[in-house]
Amino acid sequence: MWHWDGSLATVDLGQVQLAVAMAPGDRKVQVKTSEDLLLATLWDMPAVSATPLVDVYVRGHDLVCLTAPSDSFPYHTQLYWTLRTVDVTPTPLVALSLLVSIRTDLLDTHPEIELVTQAARRTSRTLDVAGGPAFVVPLRDSVTLVDFATPEDCVKQEILTPHHDRLSIERSLFGHFLEKGVIRSGRAFAALYANEVADDDASVVCHELLSTELPLTT
């Protein structure tokens, strides 16, 4: 379960730790070892991360963050980082999802949110799951990341290696017309394994995550 201390939310999994800070620019999931070595950052959204913070709370397995519109990002935004239970073998260290829910007071907009995962390795594999790419990334300390989103939610998904020791999974969330008062939602999913994971097992966990229920939004 998430532990919230007023500025930082964490999940201690023994071998790794998840952390989400709520300061501007820090609203992303950091995956760290027990020795505080950064392995990856999941689902960084620079435009959303810079918006004014309204509220943060933990509700069951959900870490919930509400933000207000800004001049550069005119959307009311709700973020739900949810810890998931998946009935798969091998069992991941943790499985989680991100739900991004937005609405606007403007008459017509075309929201597009940059969603970036970065990992401290260059090697990766790409699988076809539900018509979209799932990325399997070996991290340090024998940890493996499976990162997945559907093409219905992301108009662009690609993997880049801009630096010699890092790779970047870059997505564009939404990108469609949004009317005033209409709520639009999209999700991303991830699982962390203690060892290497076979392609079939990675595909199965993605399908399991895709079938999980949406968190109750406010």
Side-chain angles (χ1 to χ4, degrees), residues 51-192:
T51 54
L53 187 64
V54 175
D55 196 11
V56 180
Y57 57 92
V58 172
R59 181 193 60 195
H61 294 294
D62 300 327
L63 170 63
V64 184
C65 173
L66 311 179
T67 71
S70 65
D71 291 340
S72 59
F73 191 77
Y75 305 98
H76 303 269
T77 306
Q78 300 179 21
L79 306 174
Y80 298 81
W81 294 275
T82 303
L83 302 175
R84 297 293 185 177
T85 300
V86 288
D87 185 16
V88 296
T89 303
T91 303
L93 289 168
V94 66
L96 66 157
S97 64
L98 166 67
L99 173 71
V100 182
S101 177
I102 62 172
R103 64 176 176 85
T104 183
D105 297 324
L106 303 181
L107 288 178
D108 55 303
T109 58
H110 289 79
E112 187 169 326
I113 300 174
E114 181 184 12
L115 187 70
V116 180
T117 289
Q118 290 191 323
R121 274 292 179 88
R122 291 192 61 178
T123 59
S124 66
R125 307 193 308 275
T126 304
L127 311 178
D128 186 352
V129 177
F135 302 100
V136 182
V137 184
L139 305 176
R140 295 186 179 121
D141 287 11
S142 301
V143 176
T144 300
L145 166 68
V146 179
D147 192 301
F148 170 64
T150 69
E152 288 78 15
D153 289 331
C154 296
V155 295
K156 181 192 77 172
Q157 301 193 65
E158 59 184 345
I159 192 162
L160 306 172
T161 54
H163 306 292
H164 73 281
D165 61 346
R166 300 190 68 81
L167 61 80
S168 179
I169 301 169
E170 300 190 1
R171 299 181 171 100
S172 293
L173 191 62
F174 307 132
H176 313 292
F177 176 75
L178 181 64
E179 296 180 0
K180 179 180 179 180
V182 173
I183 297 173
R184 176 156 291 147
S185 299
R187 291 197 292 175
F189 307 94
L192 290 166

Side-chain angles (χ1 to χ4, degrees), residues 18-29:
L18 307 182
V20 181
M22 292 300 166
D26 287 339
R27 295 165 201 161
K28 56 197 172 192
V29 179

